[in-house]
Amino acid sequence: MNPAGILSLALQTVVSPRDVARLLLSIRPGAEALWTAFALVVVLNTLVFSASHLLAPVPVPGVLANPAVFAAMQAAVLASTIAALTWVGGLFGGTARLRDMALLLIWMQALRVLAQALMALVLPLAPVLGTGVFMAITGLGLWILLNFIDEAHGLGSLLKAGAVAGLGLLAMAFALSIVLALAGVDPNGMAMNV
């Protein structure tokens, strides 16, 4: 897909997220393609995050200033979110498979790259406008996520999709906090066993 096609699909995602979810799910990419796309969005998000902090330095919590650590955290959060939304959706009678949720969340991360790049350009030039753009992007992201969850799981209700999103993100945060604690990272992001 060329850049124009990606931008067109991105705009279509905002306008009609269910149609895009159905389109993406109909593609049924193989495991290798999903893993490649997963790695690509993690790397691109890390590059845009790092570049935006070079352009407009703001304080970054502890170890997240290191791009390798940021990428690892990005990958862990994305993987655990995929697993949590798949699992919790199943508890609500959803039918999405892990690869279905992975495909949709990977696409959302690709959209996040575009949003981060837009924010990196707007925020230094017009902070007030940047705040408004950030709020709009956050709202659109939530709208897209709920529609993607509903479509993937076949729940038939944005309210159920909201419950899946809320409980799934809580489950993901809980699991991730346990993993970080076992790895020796305290809440301030510093290794406890140094």
Side-chain angles (χ1 to χ4, degrees):
M1 182 178 282
N2 61 25
I6 291 172
L7 286 176
S8 174
L9 190 59
L11 290 173
Q12 186 64 25
T13 303
V14 171
V15 175
S16 184
R18 288 180 181 275
D19 291 341
V20 171
R22 281 190 291 273
L23 172 68
L24 292 172
L25 292 171
S26 72
I27 295 170
R28 301 205 183 278
E32 185 177 327
L34 278 175
W35 280 111
T36 302
F38 181 95
L40 181 62
V41 296
V42 167
V43 168
L44 290 175
N45 269 295
T46 302
L47 288 173
V48 171
F49 177 81
S50 298
S52 68
H53 286 286
L54 287 175
L55 294 173
V58 292
V60 178
V63 296
L64 292 181
N66 180 330
V69 173
F70 181 84
M73 288 296 296
Q74 179 79 16
V77 168
L78 181 54
S80 57
T81 302
I82 291 166
L85 292 179
T86 304
W87 177 68
V88 173
L91 296 177
F92 280 78
T95 58
R97 298 169 302 161
L98 198 60
R99 67 183 331 143
D100 298 333
M101 198 56 63
L103 177 61
L104 295 177
L105 290 182
I106 288 168
W107 174 243
M108 284 195 69
Q109 286 300 307
L111 295 177
R112 184 174 179 221
V113 170
L114 295 174
Q116 282 182 324
L118 176 65
M119 288 301 300
L121 295 174
V122 171
L123 205 53
L125 300 174
V128 174
L129 177 62
T131 302
V133 170
F134 174 77
M135 290 171 49
I137 288 171
T138 301
L140 284 172
L142 181 59
W143 167 251
I144 293 166
L145 177 64
L146 293 179
N147 279 280
F148 276 14
I149 290 170
D150 191 27
E151 193 62 39
H153 278 296
L155 299 171
S157 164
L158 285 180
L159 188 59
K160 280 186 182 178
V164 169
L167 292 174
L169 294 177
L170 281 174
M172 178 274 301
F174 180 72
L176 202 54
S177 68
I178 290 172
V179 170
L180 290 174
L182 292 173
V185 177
D186 75 5
N188 295 321
M190 302 303 290
M192 291 185 290
N193 56 1
V194 174

